[in-house]
Amino acid sequence: MKYLRDKKQTYFFPLVVILLLSMQSMTSYAEPIIPNDPNMVVASWKSGSMGSDSIETEATVETAIAEAQDYLNQSNKPGNSYMYGLAQAALTPWINKNRSTDSSVYPQLDFIWARILQHQHNFDEALIYLRKVQNSNPNNIDAHLLIARLHIIKNDYVSARSSCSKLLGKSDLITASICLLEVTSFQGKLNDSYDQLKKIVQLSRVGDQKEVWSRQILSEMAIRLGRFDESEEWLNMSLDDKDLGFIIDWSDSKLAKNKHCEAFHSLSKISNHLDYMEDALILRLAIAESRCNSVEGSTWSTSMKARVELREQRQDIHHASELAIYYLDLEPDASKARHWAKINWEQAKEHKDRIILERASL
């Protein structure tokens, strides 16, 4: 369940659109190009007339969805966040087409689009598309899970619980239980939820993806309980093949325990294989670098400074949390830290966002 932990992007990723066009409609075929700047999507488009043959139209739309799904499946790996833009480019010609004919592919299109909107922090709009998915397919487990995650981000636990409850009888019991326990942990039952989820992970065969998902939730619960050793322990897994969100959570658990050199060396190994790195990863490397006595120089701090300057020029609110942390932990500036922490809180209201805001408000 990769998308569950990603507030822009939370963690998972399952994800078909048949669109009948009118006679002599015009269709565009995207040819995505990976630019030097992975934050920008450049695409060339060919235009050509197409007849009303529904089979040809369906194949074209399904090809676009398959392409977008492939990008999305890779997008949460370190260095691949630009693929959200490629997925968006592949689907843009189809997302607003007239839906005059019922089709089983619309839910797939809407779900992928909601994932893209989630990554862009457009949570309210993402929920609109997810409700379309639910209306078309009430048994779509992934839609219920993602809706719950978005409501948690928005601090709407009643709605999150409602979405988790809809999984009962539709998903396996463990999936529904994990979803419900995360929500109830925010509703005055943190200790009980933590203990119950811990038993599920320890006594049940939850499977690889669910175990990673559960451990991230347990780690976050442990932080809220003030059990920082336990929080770190839940994430003590190999970083090989892990999504960016897990790696960031792992890094934060190490930095919180002042294990800066361990974080630095592990993240450096990951960075060696990447042509591009997300702000969140550069930021953790810069913090670890600045506090690891065995490391000389300020390579990552310099890189992060350049990235911050770029984000500020663009007034890039999607990176508000990284900017706030930068001005708290790397280049202390109380005013700028408060500014970006408030912007971040306006978008997302998870525990980690509250901590950033509280630190910046001191």
Side-chain angles (χ1 to χ4, degrees):
M1 326 228 146
K2 300 175 183 176
Y3 61 66
L4 289 179
R5 301 303 303 165
D6 180 10
K7 73 184 180 191
K8 312 171 184 150
Q9 82 200 75
T10 292
Y11 292 166
F12 221 121
F13 313 32
L15 298 183
V16 294
V17 188
I18 298 175
L19 202 51
L20 298 180
L21 303 182
S22 59
M23 294 280 293
Q24 296 180 347
S25 63
M26 303 294 287
T27 246
S28 296
Y29 299 85
E31 296 178 10
I33 300 170
I34 300 176
N36 292 329
D37 178 5
N39 286 306
M40 177 177 63
V41 175
V42 179
S44 60
W45 304 87
K46 295 178 184 177
S47 295
S49 61
M50 177 186 290
S52 58
D53 188 327
S54 62
I55 295 178
E56 185 178 2
T57 300
E58 290 171 9
T60 301
V61 177
E62 289 176 352
T63 298
I65 292 175
E67 181 181 14
Q69 181 65 72
D70 184 55
Y71 288 135
L72 202 64
N73 289 342
Q74 303 174 64
S75 60
N76 274 5
K77 297 300 181 183
N80 284 357
S81 61
Y82 68 90
M83 289 189 177
Y84 281 102
L86 298 178
Q88 181 177 8
L91 294 187
T92 295
W94 307 106
I95 192 65
N96 293 320
K97 291 286 186 179
N98 180 34
R99 301 184 179 188
S100 57
T101 303
D102 290 337
S103 174
S104 61
V105 298
Y106 291 147
Q108 181 76 358
L109 176 67
D110 289 334
F111 185 83
I112 297 175
W113 197 254
R115 288 290 328 287
I116 293 168
L117 292 169
Q118 177 197 17
H119 178 72
Q120 296 172 345
H121 284 197
N122 294 330
F123 303 129
D124 290 333
E125 191 175 353
L127 286 168
I128 292 173
Y129 280 91
L130 288 169
R131 292 188 186 104
K132 290 181 181 181
V133 177
Q134 283 186 321
N135 291 336
S136 300
N137 181 8
N139 294 321
N140 190 305
I141 295 172
D142 299 323
H144 292 304
L145 286 168
L146 185 51
I147 288 172
R149 171 110 291 272
L150 294 179
H151 282 306
I152 289 174
I153 292 170
K154 288 165 60 65
N155 221 347
D156 182 356
Y157 304 124
V158 173
S159 297
R161 184 179 180 85
S162 175
S163 189
C164 290
S165 297
K166 292 175 182 176
L167 291 168
L168 296 170
K170 297 182 178 69
S171 72
D172 61 89
L173 184 58
I174 289 179
T175 296
S177 298
I178 295 171
C179 186
L180 284 165
L181 287 171
E182 180 178 19
V183 176
T184 56
S185 74
F186 293 103
Q187 296 180 306
K189 297 181 179 180
L190 177 55
N191 277 290
D192 289 344
S193 298
Y194 181 70
D195 290 339
Q196 290 181 52
L197 184 53
K198 182 163 57 174
K199 289 179 181 178
I200 289 176
V201 173
Q202 292 174 338
L203 302 177
S204 304
R205 294 182 178 180
V206 296
D208 292 341
Q209 286 189 347
K210 289 178 189 174
E211 182 176 5
V212 173
W213 174 35
S214 301
R215 283 177 172 272
Q216 286 182 271
I217 295 173
L218 283 164
S219 177
E220 192 271 343
M221 287 183 183
I223 289 174
R224 285 190 279 141
L225 288 167
R227 304 177 185 178
F228 300 106
D229 288 339
E230 292 180 35
S231 176
E232 179 192 14
E233 185 60 31
W234 285 118
L235 299 179
N236 271 342
M237 304 175 72
S238 170
L239 297 182
D240 294 342
D241 298 323
K242 292 295 189 298
D243 290 334
L244 177 64
F246 182 92
I247 293 171
I248 296 306
D249 287 348
W250 178 92
S251 302
D252 288 346
S253 74
K254 296 299 179 182
L255 296 177
K257 295 291 296 178
N258 294 321
K259 296 183 178 181
H260 302 105
C261 290
E262 181 180 351
F264 181 80
H265 294 306
S266 294
L267 295 180
S268 294
K269 290 179 181 178
I270 294 173
S271 72
N272 290 336
H273 303 287
L274 302 177
D275 295 324
Y276 168 77
M277 291 179 61
E278 289 79 8
D279 292 23
L281 198 53
I282 296 176
L283 176 63
R284 272 70 184 183
L285 268 164
I287 293 173
E289 175 187 61
S290 68
R291 290 164 173 74
C292 180
N293 294 331
S294 63
V295 176
E296 296 182 1
S298 57
T299 301
W300 292 110
S301 295
T302 301
S303 297
M304 191 61 204
K305 181 178 181 180
R307 195 67 67 89
V308 166
E309 290 174 352
L310 176 63
R311 301 308 180 196
E312 288 186 317
Q313 289 173 7
R314 296 178 177 178
Q315 285 298 293
D316 191 343
I317 64 174
H318 296 160
H319 291 86
S321 64
E322 285 86 12
L323 292 170
I325 294 172
Y326 176 82
Y327 285 119
L328 283 169
D329 296 330
L330 273 178
E331 293 289 337
D333 186 317
S335 178
K336 289 186 176 181
R338 281 193 299 272
H339 171 76
W340 289 109
K342 289 177 180 178
I343 290 176
N344 182 60
W345 181 251
E346 290 172 0
Q347 300 177 85
K349 294 178 170 59
E350 294 192 88
H351 179 73
K352 64 179 68 176
D353 304 300
R354 179 180 291 108
I355 295 301
I356 292 173
L357 183 63
E358 290 175 353
R359 290 184 61 206
S361 300
L362 293 177

